[in-house]
Amino acid sequence: MQTIRERMQSIKIFDYLWWGILLFGIFLRIYLYFRNRSLWQDEASLAMNLVHRSFGELTQALDYYQAAPIGFLFTEKFFISIFGPYDYVMRIFPLLSGILAIYFIYRFAQAHLGSTGLFALTISSVAWSLVYYSTELKQYSSDVLALSLMIFLAGNALKQKAEAKDFFLLGIAGSLIIWISHPSIFVLAGIGLALFFEKITRKEYAPW
């Protein structure tokens, strides 16, 4: 009985460790966000486009040598239209993207990597580039969100007992995510190849 109790306690401590790392990563992003550093040149150039253009005009080539996915631009314009053209407001979407990204990394690592997934979660939570871009007016943080979300959904679709809803969610998310992240096209292509390979090599039935 003592052995079972010790094992249960170790499992509980392990769960606390997962959540502790995740919450620390969220804290770092929120802390840097509230420091509210000034926009640097590239951010300011994109901000000028967002503030002075309408939704329709954002579909055209941007000024100041800027480029970003339509979904990212529209989301930023939506926040600006409601809350105003402030630095805090323009960095809300990157912040939310950074927080959600490490959450999906946490979900994937815990479900598919076991204890070694703690290393992946730790790196994702504290890596300075990921923390920094979570508080910058650029699409890099939403790129990470898009990729982590698609890999998480692909992991569900590739599991042994995948259900129809897993493929449905992957398809819907993949159709929408390309409007938010350009690099997601390459990840979606890799996921498609993995699913096709799984279909033709799995002995038991695997749904298309």
Side-chain angles (χ1 to χ4, degrees):
M1 184 64 68
Q2 184 67 25
T3 303
I4 295 175
R5 181 184 299 175
E6 291 176 354
R7 186 172 182 180
M8 292 297 293
Q9 289 176 345
S10 64
I11 292 173
K12 189 173 292 187
I13 292 173
F14 195 60
D15 289 339
Y16 290 152
L17 185 59
W18 279 100
W19 277 102
I21 295 171
L22 176 64
L23 292 175
F24 183 65
I26 293 174
F27 166 77
L28 289 177
R29 286 154 176 79
I30 294 176
Y31 172 77
L32 193 59
Y33 171 79
F34 279 111
R35 290 190 63 182
N36 195 30
R37 65 184 184 278
S38 299
L39 297 177
W40 71 288
Q41 181 179 354
D42 217 24
E43 289 181 287
S45 298
L46 184 58
M48 292 290 287
N49 285 280
L50 291 167
V51 171
H52 297 296
R53 290 188 177 215
S54 65
F55 281 96
E57 291 170 337
L58 287 173
T59 62
Q60 304 170 10
L62 302 179
D63 297 325
Y64 314 114
Y65 304 102
Q66 294 298 304
I70 295 297
F72 174 84
L73 295 173
F74 278 18
T75 303
E76 286 289 342
K77 186 65 177 180
F78 171 77
F79 281 116
I80 292 171
S81 300
I82 295 177
F83 301 110
Y86 305 107
D87 295 1
Y88 273 128
V89 174
M90 289 185 281
R91 286 171 171 161
I92 288 177
F93 184 48
L95 175 65
L96 294 176
S97 296
I99 292 173
L100 287 172
I102 58 171
Y103 171 73
F104 286 118
I105 292 170
Y106 154 75
R107 290 289 304 276
F108 178 85
Q110 192 176 49
H112 301 284
L113 302 180
S115 58
T116 57
L118 282 170
F119 179 74
L121 178 61
T122 302
I123 294 299
S124 302
S125 296
V126 304
W128 176 246
S129 58
L130 296 182
V131 174
Y132 177 82
Y133 286 125
S134 295
T135 59
E136 180 172 293
L137 179 56
K138 298 294 288 185
Q139 66 269 28
Y140 309 132
S141 183
S142 52
D143 284 339
V144 179
L145 169 61
L147 306 188
S148 60
L149 172 61
M150 295 312 302
I151 291 173
F152 167 70
L153 293 176
N156 291 339
L158 285 166
K159 64 186 179 183
Q160 195 69 24
K161 296 182 179 180
E163 301 176 3
K165 67 176 183 179
D166 297 318
F167 294 92
F168 179 76
L169 288 174
L170 178 62
I172 294 297
S175 301
L176 297 175
I177 213 73
I178 58 175
W179 298 98
I180 298 176
S181 170
H182 292 149
S184 64
I185 296 174
F186 301 102
V187 175
L188 288 170
I191 290 172
L193 288 173
L195 289 172
F196 177 73
F197 183 78
E198 184 74 3
K199 172 66 179 178
I200 62 176
T201 58
R202 186 186 293 184
K203 294 180 180 179
E204 66 274 13
Y205 170 76
W208 279 106

